[in-house]
Amino acid sequence: MKHKSIKGIRHLVFADLKEYYNHFGNQAKPPLEDWKEGKELDWVIADDGGIIQLLKVSHKISHPNDRPNYKLSKGWCRTVVGTFLIKDKTYMDTDFDKHPNRYTFSTKIKNTNSRVYKREKATRKEKEFATHIVTGESAVKAYMKSFKEDNEDKATKKAAVLLKQRRVMSEIEASALEVAKELGIDHRYILRSLKILAENAGDDNIQLQAVKELGKAIGTLGQTKKIETGVVGLFQGFSQDQLEVATRPSLTEKTEVK
């Protein structure tokens, strides 16, 4: 008999029926012979002959890549050993050594969090996260909506990790540029608006700030390091009230960019 604990609860795995009845007694309910028909908390006979309890059973399954393996499955079940797809070809075993992580279908992945750092392409949920960010949601709220996370503290940590990943930031920038394009905002528009601020703001601080931003944009401030700046990035440092100056009709009529 083997065992492991989950959240302080000891879960047993029996080598065969003899061990099972020795532990529970001869009057114990027989374990199901077909584990695929089992319900949550049922004891079942695994394909290797071991006796194990189904801790979690779900007949709903989805995967971001919609792989055929998942579409053809009737659901999944979890034991103290591992998680198994409910399908005809699935082999359920009771060998702890073959399942470094009981919460995945894979027998190779030990730490699922490491995939967040190694993944090159953004997943569907990461793209959804990026879209929420661009539409004005906070990173935490964006994570909670995209990943269906109710715990705000956990969402805060996870969102911070995602924002450090190049693929996610690329999605955010691409989405921002797409929205900007739809609104008619491009580098020409931004440079024109900064020029209006620099010439007509009526406030020395705003004018100086606008001139600095223009200098950075066209590379006249002696910077030796190339800076990649998105369309929105050129307006960093200005308040909303200051930016509104650039769009007032009186100013746009007063200054014309040739």
Side-chain angles (χ1 to χ4, degrees):
M1 182 175 64
K2 297 176 289 186
H3 66 84
K4 277 197 176 182
S5 296
I6 300 177
K7 295 182 178 179
I9 300 175
R10 193 167 178 251
H11 297 279
L12 307 176
V13 179
F14 301 99
D16 50 35
L17 285 171
K18 183 179 179 181
E19 272 194 358
Y20 175 79
Y21 286 115
N22 282 342
H23 181 80
F24 290 114
N26 293 329
Q27 302 304 315
K29 181 181 178 180
L32 290 176
E33 293 186 6
D34 187 353
W35 63 267
K36 299 178 184 68
E37 299 298 324
K39 298 178 181 179
E40 205 160 295
L41 301 183
D42 278 347
W43 285 91
V44 299
I45 301 176
D47 293 313
D48 63 359
I51 315 296
I52 198 164
Q53 189 177 34
L54 302 182
L55 303 180
K56 179 74 175 178
V57 176
S58 175
H59 294 289
K60 294 182 180 179
I61 186 169
S62 61
H63 191 274
N65 293 330
D66 290 326
R67 298 174 183 171
N69 281 344
Y70 297 87
K71 286 183 177 180
L72 298 175
S73 299
K74 297 178 182 178
W76 57 271
C77 63
R78 179 175 299 134
T79 69
V80 68
V81 171
T83 303
F84 304 87
L85 291 170
I86 302 174
K87 55 183 297 187
D88 293 339
K89 295 183 179 180
T90 299
Y91 182 88
M92 177 186 278
D93 64 83
T94 55
D95 188 345
F96 284 108
D97 293 336
K98 292 182 178 179
H99 301 269
N101 187 330
R102 72 168 63 92
Y103 300 103
T104 72
F105 301 122
S106 172
T107 57
K108 298 178 181 178
I109 298 173
K110 185 173 183 179
N111 182 5
T112 55
N113 291 330
S114 64
R115 291 183 293 182
V116 174
Y117 301 96
K118 296 178 180 179
R119 190 181 294 122
E120 294 184 1
K121 293 183 179 180
T123 65
R124 177 180 58 80
K125 289 184 179 180
E126 288 174 345
K127 290 179 180 180
E128 186 180 334
F129 171 76
T131 301
H132 284 307
I133 292 287
V134 172
T135 55
E137 293 278 3
S138 69
V140 177
K141 293 296 182 185
Y143 188 92
M144 294 177 77
K145 286 184 176 181
S146 303
F147 292 85
K148 305 296 185 292
E149 176 57 63
D150 297 326
N151 188 309
E152 191 168 335
D153 289 337
K154 186 175 179 180
T156 300
K157 295 176 182 177
K158 296 286 188 179
V161 171
L162 285 184
L163 290 175
K164 293 179 182 179
Q165 309 311 310
R166 181 180 294 276
R167 67 180 182 283
V168 175
M169 293 309 298
S170 294
E171 284 292 330
I172 292 174
E173 184 175 349
S175 298
L177 289 173
E178 185 177 341
V179 172
K181 186 177 181 181
E182 291 176 359
L183 296 175
I185 300 173
D186 55 18
H187 285 88
R188 182 180 180 83
Y189 170 87
I190 291 176
L191 289 172
R192 179 176 181 275
S193 300
L194 285 172
K195 183 174 183 292
I196 292 173
L197 280 172
E199 295 178 347
N200 304 280
D203 183 306
D204 290 343
N205 289 330
I206 296 176
Q207 287 180 306
L208 178 60
Q209 195 172 347
V211 170
K212 285 182 178 180
E213 292 301 321
L214 284 169
K216 291 178 184 178
I218 62 177
T220 59
L221 295 184
Q223 295 180 359
T224 57
K225 182 179 180 181
K226 181 181 178 181
I227 298 179
E228 296 180 0
T229 308
V231 228
V232 183
L234 291 173
F235 275 152
Q236 287 180 349
F238 290 96
S239 68
Q240 186 61 39
D241 291 338
Q242 292 171 343
L243 292 176
E244 286 177 358
V245 175
T247 57
R248 291 176 188 168
S250 59
L251 291 182
T252 55
E253 291 173 4
K254 188 174 178 180
T255 306
E256 182 179 353
V257 176
K258 306 253 181 182

